Amino acid sequence: QVQLAESGGGLVQAGGSLRLSCAASGSIVNINRMGLYRQAPGKQRELVAYITRDGSTRYADSVKGRFTISRDNAKNTVYLQMNSLKPEDTAVYYCNGRTYVGYDYWGQGTQVTVSS
């Protein structure tokens, strides 16, 4: 089993910045990639960004150039630096860990609200 815990959400004005953290514990040896997804009210959950064990990254087109994902292997933690935030970034952000066989673990989610 893997446990994931997000932190760092909150309320920020448009143009501001937040940094989300996602800490993993448990059987993390099976985790190939970690990342953040988000779900806005009335919308499907969507990928924001992820980073693999070898450091490869992927971003949603809507956040490229504004968000940066990184990882601290010693702390088993992934960080999402979010800059130039927009009201449309408002959502619940979920930490995700995917195993080598494609199984997903999820955190409880953290609310990010961007006011205009």
Side-chain angles (χ1 to χ4, degrees), residues 35 48 53 63 73 80 111:
V48 177
R53 276 192 177 271
V63 307
N73 290 329
L80 183 69
Q111 177 70 45

Side-chain angles (χ1 to χ4, degrees), residues 36-67:
L36 282 297
Y37 285 67
R38 67 187 181 187
Q39 187 166 19
K43 295 187 177 181
Q44 290 189 328
R45 191 174 297 189
E46 63 176 2
L47 172 70
V48 177
Y50 68 68
I51 184 167
T52 65
R53 276 192 177 271
D54 65 3
S56 300
T57 58
R58 179 180 175 183
Y59 295 90
D61 288 342
S62 60
V63 307
K64 285 180 181 177
R66 301 189 296 123
F67 292 9

Side-chain angles (χ1 to χ4, degrees), residues 37-41 46 87-94 110-114:
Y37 285 67
R38 67 187 181 187
Q39 187 166 19
E46 63 176 2
E88 50 263 45
D89 294 317
T90 295
V92 178
Y93 284 68
Y94 294 93
T110 186
Q111 177 70 45
V112 171
T113 302
V114 184

